[in-house]
């Protein structure tokens, strides 16, 4: 495999929880500056893969490399300054937005530092501005809507000033407005700040629209990796998702579009 | 004329020093009812400045300042009363005792007596501390004589087998090496619980078939225990209706004179058919 | 974001003032009936020979300082444990360390190894506590991963076993020994030795300093262990260090003053309601607030039924429990 331009590489990763592996021989690379979407049916190991990529789960056998260096050899603090994760779990907390985003500066705190430095404050301000959550500074996190909260989570990840952003289903519980907001933000960060993005998405159309490449997982194995139009063919989708679909091209963006075919209409489809 | 003045001043001087030696001599605080009683018996109750809320005998003791209860007492109160001698029991809170001692106060601990003889020794020790040995020895001689007298009279009487219950839940009876045993022995009874541990199961005691069961009061528990014993109609004590409940204060921590009184009561319980 | 440094000084300063105020109040009241206006002159009496001086300096002051040490330590341990376990009902005694201490003391009294004065009783208590800590560590912190749930469950079970064993020892003991054991367990701040008090307050302050070095870890862990890992925190090391530290602190407090309950449970919650959930504010406020609470309860215990004293655990239980219920109802309505 060509190692040039790969910021994050998974090398023959097998791993999971306890003694039960969920991923088998996963091998791929994330190009610098790209948006990679991870898709696949429920239980295919997407979240597990994200955890392996972020270093929380250690694969055996196999390893993950960040810019050529094995994750296990990198100190957690240093890793957190290059790689930030926005997970699905929403922690219960009574912090304000500003306090929560400031936590993103944790990897930069020195040994006996107890309060934020001006540099920290600056990073927090930038993160809030970039995500458009500046006006929510003093709002309690628990009193915000799901969409606004998601933006705040991204802001916290941005405060880490990472080179790579990993997101686990960032749009799953959001309405269309907020979905668009979050996705446009991600695209902007990728274009303007050059942040590499790896995100797990459930919605195949969103994945096709916003990701430059797609990684399709099936049963813990890499099924397909490539451009959306190469991955989202109806043969592949029907095989992996075991359901009948119709794939057409989006007339505006020319990306593939996947349509569900309800049971009663299945005869009509060729 | 001069001689008269000399004699007068000598008398005054003597009187003052006598008064001083009595007035400034002792300020006693007692932390136990038996100790308080003993102080009164030895005639130095005017030097007693503090007692516990449980010191009810004699009645005059209740008028003294209170410094606490049986186990714990108030260190500040004790300090305010400025004592020269504090009489503590083995139940008094050791930490507070240590505190007083660390502040330079003379605390004498009187452990619970294990026998009549030890009771007398402790009484004598107390008397020595307050300078009334003679009085104590007089009292003790009289008490010892009475006890010997009773012992002599009861030794010829038939000995009933006796069990004294002093604890419930768990059941605890007085073994032969315990203080209360002396009452039984001197009153002409036989304590069938051997020396050592007092924890016995009811079954084992039933197996020994006691003639007399004595229960020291523990509030209502005493009555409950009596009822429990009365269910076992086969044993002698129940058959002959010889289960008695007695005042635990009299039995557990008496003064020497109190010992004699209680001993006489015990004799009445064990040998009701004989006149004293 | 309001300036955190300013906030820190405000809250810490307020709690410190509260503690000093209650400390002074406690120094002035008691069954010796020293009038308040005389207290100052008595304190600065150069010769220091009067009985009243002795009462203030030798009887009340040590109790106040020990109250600060124990109240502060237990509250500090409580607030850290509640953050680590993310469980509002966890408190220092849940770990079973206190049960071990009680067992150590009971055994030493039963076997006649104790002396009423001196270091022996606290030492045996601490040894018992160490035994439980070692057992918990071996069962749940091997192989690098600290299993918090295991610690909690094993701790509760060990607590039950220890208290059953103590009851066994009580039933086998003679009256005076049983009395001694019960008395020790009931707990109290009337320690006669200054050296013990010094150890307690030093331990508490050291623990406060050490735990303050972990504030960012604690704040991150409050979001979840995985989240904390994503933020670069070495979660396992933090859990291990903090567990051991709080366990030692609890063992020390219990060995010195017996079981004084509720302080480690209620004060953290109360402080959280006032300062929020940032550990930079929580740690010093919990320590100072806990010290103030215990000194206050001890003061009440000393004066409510003068000249007798209530066990201080009774006051912490009643006051602490009532406050808890009241505060919960306020939260639910407001």
């Amino acid at each position: 495999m060509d190692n040039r331009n790969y910021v994050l590489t998974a090398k023959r990763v097998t791993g999971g929880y306890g003694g039960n592996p969920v991923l088998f021989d996963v091998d791929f690379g994330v190009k610098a500056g790209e948006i990679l979407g991870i898709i696949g049916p429920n239980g295919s190991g997407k979240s597990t893969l994200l955890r392996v990529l972020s270093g929380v789960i250690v694969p055996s056998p196999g390893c993950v490399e960040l810019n050529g260096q094995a994750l296990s050899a990198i100190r957690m603090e240093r890793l957190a300054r290059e790689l930030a994760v926005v997970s699905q779990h929403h922690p219960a907390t009574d912090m304000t937005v500003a306090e929560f985003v400031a936590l993103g500066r944790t990897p930069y705190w020195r040994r006996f530092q107890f309060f934020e430095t001006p540099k920290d404050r600056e990073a927090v301000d930038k993160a809030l501005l970039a995500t458009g959550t500046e006006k929510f500074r003093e709002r309690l996190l628990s009193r915000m809507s799901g969409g606004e909260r998601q933006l705040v989570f991204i802001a916290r990840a941005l405060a880490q000033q990472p080179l790579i952003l990993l997101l686990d289903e960032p749009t799953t519980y959001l309405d269309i407005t907020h979905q668009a907001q979050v996705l446009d933000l991600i695209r902007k960060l990728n274009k303007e700040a050059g942040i590499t993005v790896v995100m797990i998405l459930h919605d195949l159309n969103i994945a096709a629209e916003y990701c430059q490449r797609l990684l399709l997982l099936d049963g813990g194995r890499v099924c397909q990796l490539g451009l959306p139009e190469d991955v989202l063919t109806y043969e592949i989708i029907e095989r992996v998702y075991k359901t009948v679909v119709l794939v057409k091209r989006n007339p505006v963006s020319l990306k593939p579009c996947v349509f569900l075919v309800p049971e009663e209409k299945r005869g009509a489809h060729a | 004329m001069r001689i008269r003045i000399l004699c007068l001043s000598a008398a005054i001087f003597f009187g003052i020093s006598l008064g001083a030696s009595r007035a400034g001599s002792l300020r006693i605080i007692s932390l136990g009812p038996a100790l308080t009683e003993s102080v009164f018996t030895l005639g130095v109750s005017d030097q007693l400045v503090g007692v516990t809320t449980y010191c009810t005998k004699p009645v005059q003791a209740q008028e003294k300042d209170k410094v606490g209860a049986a186990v714990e007492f108030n260190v500040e109160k004790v300090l305010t009363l400025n004592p020269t001698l504090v009489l503590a029991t083995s139940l008094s809170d050791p930490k507070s005792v240590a505190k007083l001692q660390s502040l330079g106060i003379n605390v004498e601990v009187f452990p619970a007596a294990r026998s009549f003889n030890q009771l007398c020794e402790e009484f004598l020790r107390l008397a020595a501390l307050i300078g009334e040995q003679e009085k104590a020895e007089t009292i003790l001689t009289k008490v010892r004589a009475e006890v010997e007298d009773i012992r002599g009279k009861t030794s010829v009487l038939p000995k009933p087998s006796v069990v004294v219950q002093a604890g419930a839940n768990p059941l605890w009876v007085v073994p032969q090496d315990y203080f209360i045993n002396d009452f039984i022995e001197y009153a002409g009874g036989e304590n069938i619980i051997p020396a050592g541990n007092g924890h016995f199961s009811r079954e084992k005691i039933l197996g020994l078939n006691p003639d007399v069961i004595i229960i020291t009061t523990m509030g209502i528990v005493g009555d409950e225990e009596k009822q429990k014993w009365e269910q076992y109609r086969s044993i002698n004590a129940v058959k002959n209706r010889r289960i008695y409940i007695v005042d635990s204060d009299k039995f557990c921590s008496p003064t020497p004179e109190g010992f004699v009184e209680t001993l006489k009561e015990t004799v009445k319980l064990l040998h009701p058919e004989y006149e004293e | 974001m309001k300036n955190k440094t300013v906030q820190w000084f405000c809250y810490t300063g307020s709690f410190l003032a509260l503690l000093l105020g209650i400390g002074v109040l406690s120094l002035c009241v008691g069954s010796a009936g020293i009038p308040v206006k005389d207290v100052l002159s008595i304190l600065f009496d150069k010769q220091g020979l009067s009985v009243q001086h002795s009462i203030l300096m030798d009887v009340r002051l040590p109790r106040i300082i020990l109250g600060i040490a124990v109240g502060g330590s237990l509250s500090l341990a409580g607030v850290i444990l509640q953050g680590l376990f993310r469980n509002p009902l966890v408190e220092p005694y849940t770990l079973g360390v206190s049960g071990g201490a009680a067992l150590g003391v009971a055994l030493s009294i039963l076997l006649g190894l104790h002396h009423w004065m001196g270091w022996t009783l606290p030492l045996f208590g601490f040894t018992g506590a160490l035994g439980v800590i070692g057992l918990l560590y071996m069962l749940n912190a091997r192989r690098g991963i600290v299993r918090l749930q295991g610690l909690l469950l094993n701790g509760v079970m060990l607590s039950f076993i220890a208290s059953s064993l103590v009851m066994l020892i009580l039933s086998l003991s003679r009256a005076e020994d049983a009395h001694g054991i019960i008395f020790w367990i009931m707990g109290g701040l009337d320690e006669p030795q200054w050296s013990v008090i010094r150890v307690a307050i030093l331990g508490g302050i050291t623990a406060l300093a050490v735990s303050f070095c972990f504030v960012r870890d604690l704040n991150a862990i409050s979001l979840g262990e995985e989240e904390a890992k994503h933020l670069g925190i070495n979660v396992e090391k933090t859990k291990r260090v903090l567990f051991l530290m709080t366990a030692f602190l609890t063992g020390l407090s219990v060995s010195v003053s017996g079981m004084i309950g509720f302080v480690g449970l209620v004060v953290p919650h109360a402080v959280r309601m006032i300062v929020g959930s940032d550990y930079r504010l929580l740690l010093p406020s919990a320590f100072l607030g806990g010290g103030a609470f215990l000194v206050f309860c001890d003061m009440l215990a000393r004066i409510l039924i003068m000249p007798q004293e209530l066990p201080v655990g009774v006051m912490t239980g009643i006051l602490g429990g009532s406050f808890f219920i009241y505060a919960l109802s306020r939260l639910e309505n407001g």
Side-chain angles (χ1 to χ4, degrees):
Chain A
M1 187 175 41
D2 186 3
N3 272 347
R4 289 171 297 162
N5 291 334
Y6 284 145
V7 283
L8 205 54
T9 330
K11 288 190 166 163
R12 312 212 59 173
V13 164
T14 302
Y17 305 99
N20 304 322
V22 170
L23 300 169
F24 302 95
D25 213 21
V26 172
D27 199 297
F28 71 99
V30 181
K31 293 189 191 152
E34 78 167 332
I35 301 184
L36 176 72
I38 300 180
I39 54 175
N42 287 342
S44 53
K46 306 191 293 291
S47 289
T48 314
L49 179 58
L50 207 69
R51 286 206 178 94
V52 171
L53 289 175
S54 67
V56 170
I57 296 181
V58 177
S60 76
C63 77
V64 177
E65 285 181 5
L66 176 69
N67 285 319
Q69 204 183 357
L71 274 194
S72 47
I74 305 178
R75 277 185 54 226
M76 298 185 90
E77 262 179 356
R78 224 201 86 202
L79 182 64
R81 290 187 221 157
E82 312 209 11
L83 193 149
V85 180
V86 179
S87 69
Q88 238 184 56
H89 306 287
H90 295 192
T93 176
D94 50 357
M95 292 189 213
T96 62
V97 166
E99 287 173 343
F100 182 75
V101 174
L103 275 183
R105 299 299 300 165
T106 306
Y108 291 92
W109 277 24
R110 306 237 303 276
R111 175 116 294 259
F112 289 110
Q113 177 185 341
F114 301 123
F115 295 104
E116 282 82 17
T117 62
K119 227 173 132 201
D120 292 327
R121 277 192 278 270
E122 202 188 303
V124 168
D125 290 339
K126 272 173 73 175
L128 289 173
L129 272 173
T131 54
T133 48
E134 169 65 46
K135 54 186 179 292
F136 298 129
R137 270 212 126 127
E138 298 305 322
R139 191 87 75 85
L140 282 180
L141 201 60
S142 45
R143 293 194 194 229
M144 298 183 62
S145 72
E148 293 162 343
R149 236 192 310 210
Q150 192 67 300
L151 293 173
V152 172
F153 289 143
I154 297 178
R156 198 215 68 208
L158 284 184
Q160 288 173 253
Q161 293 174 322
L163 302 169
I164 306 170
L165 197 57
L166 302 180
L167 301 112
D168 192 344
E169 303 202 27
T171 57
T172 301
Y173 296 107
L174 305 183
D175 59 30
I176 306 184
T177 325
H178 289 106
Q179 279 185 354
Q181 233 180 331
V182 169
L183 292 164
D184 287 335
L185 169 65
I186 293 175
R187 190 179 252 166
K188 194 175 83 166
L189 292 170
N190 172 258
K191 260 216 178 85
E192 292 175 11
I195 298 179
T196 310
V197 176
V198 178
M199 53 181 174
I200 298 176
L201 292 166
H202 246 137
D203 189 321
L204 297 177
N205 294 330
I206 290 181
E209 191 57 51
Y210 286 89
C211 300
Q212 284 140 12
R213 284 198 306 161
L214 291 180
L215 175 74
L216 176 61
L217 280 184
D218 184 21
R221 290 176 198 279
V222 175
C223 180
Q224 204 72 17
L225 171 62
L227 300 171
E229 44 268 29
D230 298 329
V231 174
L232 295 178
T233 65
Y234 77 74
E235 294 92 5
I236 296 177
I237 298 175
E238 274 184 87
R239 180 168 39 100
V240 172
Y241 283 88
K242 299 183 174 48
T243 188
V244 175
V245 295
L246 183 61
V247 182
K248 291 274 184 226
R249 197 179 275 245
N250 183 323
V252 177
S253 66
L254 302 180
K255 296 285 169 82
C257 243
V258 181
F259 296 98
L260 287 180
V261 178
E263 189 153 342
E264 63 235 20
K265 300 270 197 261
R266 281 185 197 164
H269 176 216
Chain B
M1 180 68 191
R2 253 203 235 148
I3 300 176
R4 254 183 267 160
I5 294 173
L6 211 56
C7 287
L8 195 58
S9 26
I12 295 172
F13 195 85
F14 188 72
I16 292 175
S17 61
L18 191 63
S21 76
R22 291 231 56 188
S25 54
L26 285 181
R27 292 175 62 81
I28 307 174
I29 292 186
S30 162
L31 297 178
L35 295 165
T36 305
E37 239 189 288
S38 299
V39 167
F40 270 88
T41 313
L42 291 169
V44 290
S45 59
D46 54 329
Q47 297 175 41
L48 187 63
V49 296
V51 297
T52 72
T53 49
Y54 285 93
C55 300
T56 48
K57 287 192 287 197
V59 181
Q60 296 92 313
Q62 297 178 20
E63 292 157 22
K64 300 281 181 182
D65 270 328
K66 306 287 186 297
V67 297
V71 181
E72 44 126 359
F73 56 92
N74 192 308
V75 171
E76 274 184 37
K77 200 75 198 288
V78 169
L79 283 178
T80 336
L81 291 171
N82 217 354
T84 55
L85 175 65
V86 175
L87 308 169
T89 69
S90 53
L91 286 181
S92 310
D93 180 15
K95 267 195 184 166
S96 305
V97 167
K99 185 104 212 174
L100 287 178
Q101 286 171 326
S102 73
L103 296 174
I105 300 203
N106 184 14
V107 182
E108 290 285 338
V109 181
F110 288 82
R114 306 277 288 194
S115 67
F116 172 63
N117 288 326
Q118 196 180 351
L119 184 70
C120 295
E121 280 167 23
E122 294 291 313
F123 186 70
L124 207 53
R125 185 176 141 223
L126 170 61
L129 285 170
I130 56 182
E132 294 286 342
Q133 286 103 308
E134 284 180 27
K135 206 165 190 174
E137 281 179 11
T138 320
I139 296 175
L140 282 180
T141 318
K142 180 168 143 257
V143 163
R144 283 202 174 107
E146 282 191 66
V147 168
E148 282 310 307
D149 184 46
I150 294 175
R151 281 183 86 169
K153 289 199 179 128
T154 56
S155 61
V156 296
L157 299 174
K159 284 184 187 302
S161 58
V162 183
V163 164
V164 180
Q165 177 181 0
N169 298 323
L171 188 66
W172 194 88
V173 288
V174 175
Q176 279 173 3
D177 56 348
Y178 233 70
F179 175 69
I180 298 179
N181 176 70
D182 282 3
F183 286 117
I184 309 302
E185 216 184 283
Y186 295 1
E190 188 193 340
N191 186 354
I192 51 175
I193 307 292
N197 198 352
H199 288 288
F200 264 71
S201 66
R202 214 179 285 271
E203 286 173 7
K204 218 156 172 204
I205 300 174
L206 293 174
L208 296 170
N209 198 1
D211 294 321
V212 178
I213 298 178
I214 297 178
I215 305 175
T216 63
T217 47
M218 299 163 277
I220 54 161
V221 182
D223 294 309
E224 281 177 17
E225 287 298 309
K226 185 171 179 200
Q227 284 177 355
K228 283 186 196 164
W229 285 114
E230 283 169 348
Q231 287 175 351
Y232 302 98
R233 286 184 257 237
S234 57
I235 56 171
N236 292 344
V238 179
K239 275 197 273 189
N240 301 323
R241 308 271 218 82
R242 297 191 74 186
I243 303 182
Y244 307 110
I245 301 183
V246 295
D247 182 350
S248 56
D249 281 333
K250 289 192 193 156
F251 266 74
C252 292
S253 50
T255 58
E257 288 172 322
F259 184 88
V260 174
E261 295 306 313
T262 313
L263 183 58
K264 290 183 186 162
E265 283 184 34
T266 315
V267 170
K268 287 213 190 77
L269 288 181
L270 295 185
H271 306 280
E273 61 277 16
Y274 289 90
E275 294 296 318
E276 185 45 46
Chain C
M1 173 169 59
K2 290 187 219 116
N3 196 339
K4 273 292 169 182
T5 330
V6 170
Q7 267 192 326
W8 192 89
F9 277 108
C10 279
Y11 281 123
T12 309
S14 312
F15 274 100
L16 189 62
L18 178 70
L19 177 60
L20 286 174
I22 291 185
V24 167
L25 184 64
S26 187
L27 194 63
C28 296
V29 307
S31 43
I34 302 176
V36 178
K37 51 186 166 54
D38 295 342
V39 170
L40 217 58
S41 53
I42 297 173
L43 276 180
F44 291 111
D45 176 5
K46 285 296 174 194
Q47 290 198 306
L49 287 178
S50 71
V51 169
Q52 294 181 320
H53 182 93
S54 180
I55 288 180
L56 288 182
M57 298 296 288
D58 298 316
V59 179
R60 292 187 194 166
L61 188 63
R63 280 180 84 130
I64 293 172
I65 301 205
L66 190 61
I68 298 175
V70 172
S73 299
L74 289 176
S75 306
L76 182 68
V79 82
I80 292 175
L81 288 173
Q82 281 172 1
L84 272 187
F85 286 88
R86 272 170 289 129
N87 181 331
L89 282 180
V90 167
E91 56 131 349
Y93 293 167
T94 320
L95 290 181
V97 172
S98 54
L103 189 55
V105 167
L107 269 175
S108 77
I109 292 179
L110 177 71
L111 299 174
L113 299 171
H114 67 286
H115 295 288
W116 285 118
M117 291 168 273
W119 284 74
T120 329
L121 273 187
L123 205 60
F124 273 104
F126 196 61
T127 312
L130 284 182
V132 170
I133 295 175
L135 201 58
L136 284 177
Y137 192 82
M138 267 196 336
L139 289 174
N140 292 292
R142 292 174 303 172
R143 285 198 260 116
I145 302 201
V146 178
R147 294 183 298 145
L148 286 179
Q149 283 307 106
L151 279 176
L152 195 58
L153 290 173
N154 287 143
V156 171
M157 289 304 126
L158 281 176
S159 194
F160 279 133
I161 294 177
S163 57
S164 305
L165 287 174
V166 170
M167 272 204 270
L168 172 66
I169 292 177
L170 277 176
S171 68
L172 292 177
S173 312
R174 303 175 348 186
E176 297 119 48
D177 289 344
H179 235 112
I181 297 174
I182 294 177
F183 223 60
W184 185 90
I185 291 178
M186 277 213 296
L189 295 175
D190 52 353
E191 175 59 49
Q193 299 181 94
W194 269 108
S195 52
V196 173
I197 298 179
R198 269 197 283 265
V199 168
I201 193 101
L202 263 173
I205 295 182
T206 311
L208 182 60
V210 167
S211 50
F212 206 75
C213 295
F214 285 89
V215 276
R216 71 168 187 159
D217 303 59
L218 280 166
N219 278 338
I221 291 179
S222 70
L223 297 179
E225 280 189 39
E226 199 170 290
E227 287 289 304
K229 283 186 192 156
H230 289 152
L231 287 171
I233 304 286
N234 187 345
V235 174
E236 300 306 321
K237 175 176 143 208
T238 304
K239 281 196 289 189
R240 188 169 303 130
V241 170
L242 288 180
F243 160 69
L244 285 175
M245 196 200 74
T246 49
F248 278 129
L249 201 58
T250 310
L252 181 65
S253 304
V254 176
S255 305
V256 166
S257 65
M259 318 257 268
I260 302 181
F262 265 96
V263 182
L265 177 62
V266 165
V267 175
H269 284 289
V271 173
R272 224 177 256 273
M273 276 194 247
I274 300 174
V275 308
S277 54
D278 188 340
Y279 273 86
R280 289 172 289 185
L281 304 175
L282 272 178
L283 291 182
S285 302
F287 189 87
L288 296 169
F293 177 63
L294 189 55
V295 172
F296 183 67
C297 286
D298 185 56
M299 180 186 81
L300 286 183
R302 280 188 295 120
I303 62 177
L304 278 183
I305 52 166
M306 287 200 282
Q308 280 182 282
E309 276 182 27
L310 286 168
V312 69
V314 168
M315 288 315 312
T316 57
I318 296 179
L319 277 185
S322 321
F323 165 79
F324 207 54
I325 294 174
Y326 163 75
L328 265 181
S329 64
R330 281 285 298 274
L331 268 181
E332 271 158 32
N333 292 338

